[in-house]
Amino acid sequence: MLSAVKMEGHEHPDWSGSSYYGETECYAAAGNMNSGQPMNSMSSYMNAPGMAGAGHMNAHYANPVGVNHSMMHAGVSQSPGAGIPGLGGALPPSMSSISPPPYGNMAVMSPVYGQACGIRSREPKPYRRSYTHAKPPYSYISLITMAIQQSGSKMLTLNEIYQWITDLFPFYRQNQQRWQNSIRHSLSFNDCFIKVPRMPDKPGKGSFWALHPDSGNMFENGCYLRRQKRFRKIPGTGDKEAAGKPGSEVASVTTSSAGSDSPHSSSASSPPSADVKAAGVDFKLPRGELLPCSPVRVPSPLAHTQHLFSHHHHHHHPLLLHEAATAHLKPDPYHQHPHYSFNHPFSINNLMSEPPAQYGGYGCPVSGALVAAKSALDPAHADNNYYRGVYARPIMNS
DNA sequence: CGCTGTTTATCGAAAG
DNA sequence: CTTTCGATAAACAGCG
């Protein structure tokens, strides 16, 4: 049937002749997206030692860890070991060795990643385009989440999401059609995103997209390229009901688990089906699958964060959901409750709170990005040259 | 018509 | 090796 389908899927020598993103992605190392993890671990190490500095370095691009780290702050401040659990991962010694100073990150991200993934590089390209165009080490889901998070209202229209991404990551100024389609797909496909009908007073088309209140720590493992589990309805056939998967087995739930969705409470009101319309908000109730993976997943740092949203257990009620949702929808950007203000792992807020960490180049996409984003939003900074500076500069002066 | 959303399918890669 | 996740393509429905 779809004979045509697969065609060019990966054969787009868009730029740099990399056939498939493997190479382009090199950034954080597609191949070792885990790089995130190793680094995490690294950070955790640092953290342990009391490397306060770690807090900042995390803001680096190459390591989403930063984010993770921040989130830790949000959640559990920092117990020496706290971070570790969240990582749930392993850390290649080799990697850890990389973990030098703050700049170490750069080192890591520098040509390195290119190499890392460039393994199969069949491209003789003498020099790769500037890294400014490297694919950020974030999945679309992460990006969307970050975008939404950084918005004051905690919700954005599709177009705004596009904007945020393109503004921050030069990489996405190319092949827009391609990734935007992916973004759209992600929004619709992933239950962690909910569609909020746009307010009548707001012009423009399309609805607003927000995060499902329970999507809390989708990336608590610190890996922004891949979540442990995504909320997904069964691939089922037309039977949206799906359900079935008790998930329980999988869900052994480790502790909080949670993040993902509401695991159990499907009970009563929630129809087996997928979406629940809460006051106009579409909630796609996920089939509760909890983090199967995280073996250890101790009380995740965000644990409490989660319950912030998932009001204990009873949420799930459309209304409650609605409440939660609307809560974010409130226009009040920065001032919300100190805690309540979305402590997502991503919590850009957290990220933002991070002061500096803006080393040049790819050093700090995130925080830098956020700042940029912020400035973009903020009339005061109409000029987001900040980030421009960061990205625009020819990192490789050589 | 173009943008927004949804949905299906496929492939690669990571995780277990 | 099998699942699951993520990226990408693409067909298609709605809407302004």
Side-chain angles (χ1 to χ4, degrees):
Chain A
M1 302 80 193
L2 292 170
S3 51
V5 176
K6 68 179 304 158
M7 43 182 165
E8 34 192 14
H10 303 70
E11 314 191 287
H12 269 187
D14 287 309
W15 45 290
S16 267
S18 55
S19 316
Y20 67 112
Y21 54 88
E23 188 188 324
T24 42
E25 268 183 327
C26 290
Y27 216 59
N32 55 348
M33 66 181 258
N34 320 334
S35 70
Q37 300 207 319
M39 291 185 138
N40 285 339
S41 17
M42 158 184 100
S43 73
S44 52
Y45 284 160
M46 303 186 110
N47 202 357
M51 268 294 265
H56 311 34
M57 34 179 321
N58 52 28
H60 294 280
Y61 212 44
N63 80 344
V65 173
V67 180
N68 179 22
H69 193 274
S70 338
M71 97 178 158
M72 283 178 176
H73 280 204
V76 172
S77 48
Q78 61 281 16
S79 7
I84 292 138
L87 308 174
L91 76 151
S94 49
M95 282 314 216
S96 53
S97 61
I98 311 177
S99 60
Y103 301 88
N105 292 333
M106 294 203 44
V108 175
M109 42 195 352
S110 34
V112 176
Y113 29 89
Q115 250 180 44
C117 17
I119 298 174
R120 48 158 72 289
S121 64
R122 45 71 144 4
E123 42 59 59
K125 283 303 179 190
Y127 63 96
R128 184 156 280 35
R129 198 180 231 87
S130 65
Y131 296 112
T132 14
H133 291 73
K135 185 172 185 173
Y138 303 103
S139 63
Y140 290 124
I141 294 172
S142 318
L143 291 172
I144 294 169
T145 301
M146 287 189 270
I148 293 173
Q149 284 291 295
Q150 63 78 46
S151 68
S153 54
K154 297 296 180 272
M155 60 180 189
L156 295 174
T157 58
L158 177 63
N159 200 50
E160 290 171 323
I161 292 172
Y162 288 162
Q163 275 309 131
W164 188 83
I165 294 173
T166 51
D167 285 348
L168 269 62
F169 307 100
F171 173 85
Y172 292 110
R173 288 173 192 162
Q174 310 168 50
N175 311 308
Q176 306 208 328
Q177 200 230 287
R178 190 210 279 182
W179 65 264
Q180 292 186 340
N181 181 21
S182 293
I183 290 290
R184 269 180 265 119
H185 170 263
S186 290
L187 287 169
S188 294
F189 188 73
N190 294 283
D191 298 308
C192 54
F193 301 120
I194 57 177
K195 196 172 62 177
V196 180
R198 83 185 207 302
M199 316 247 196
D201 62 316
K202 305 214 164 162
K205 19 182 9 179
S207 310
F208 284 94
W209 290 94
L211 288 166
H212 187 293
D214 287 340
S215 62
N217 50 342
M218 294 189 286
F219 306 88
E220 82 175 71
N221 64 341
C223 181
Y224 292 83
L225 283 169
R226 188 185 172 106
R227 296 169 295 172
Q228 300 100 335
K229 195 79 178 173
R230 77 180 158 195
F231 320 158
R232 181 170 66 168
K233 302 184 286 223
I234 65 158
T237 46
D239 194 15
K240 18 170 95 178
E241 122 160 70
K245 267 186 145 171
S248 33
E249 48 178 15
V250 197
S252 21
V253 187
T254 44
T255 347
S256 52
S257 68
S260 312
D261 66 302
S262 35
H264 8 291
S265 54
S266 48
S267 51
S269 47
S270 45
S273 80
D275 327 340
V276 172
K277 253 105 185 230
V281 177
D282 289 340
F283 280 99
K284 303 166 212 149
L285 294 184
R287 274 302 32 200
E289 299 233 339
L290 296 191
L291 328 172
C293 344
S294 43
V296 190
R297 192 147 311 295
V298 281
S300 74
L302 311 183
H304 83 278
T305 296
Q306 301 177 356
H307 77 57
L308 278 178
F309 291 94
S310 56
H311 309 133
H312 306 141
H313 278 195
H314 55 289
H315 54 304
H316 263 210
H317 210 109
L319 290 179
L320 289 177
L321 290 176
H322 174 242
E323 283 185 345
T326 52
H328 309 140
L329 308 187
K330 297 300 182 173
D332 203 1
Y334 307 90
H335 304 122
Q336 293 198 347
H337 295 248
H339 354 3
Y340 184 54
S341 72
F342 237 72
N343 279 332
H344 255 261
F346 269 115
S347 186
I348 268 56
N349 298 320
N350 296 328
L351 298 177
M352 288 191 132
S353 56
E354 298 265 319
Q358 46 207 51
Y359 295 104
Y362 271 41
C364 61
V366 178
S367 64
L370 297 178
V371 174
K374 218 178 173 179
S375 37
L377 300 173
D378 191 344
H381 300 66
D383 191 30
N384 37 341
N385 54 9
Y386 161 83
Y387 123 74
R388 268 180 196 288
V390 173
Y391 286 83
R393 66 188 330 229
I395 305 168
M396 304 174 56
N397 57 355
S398 56

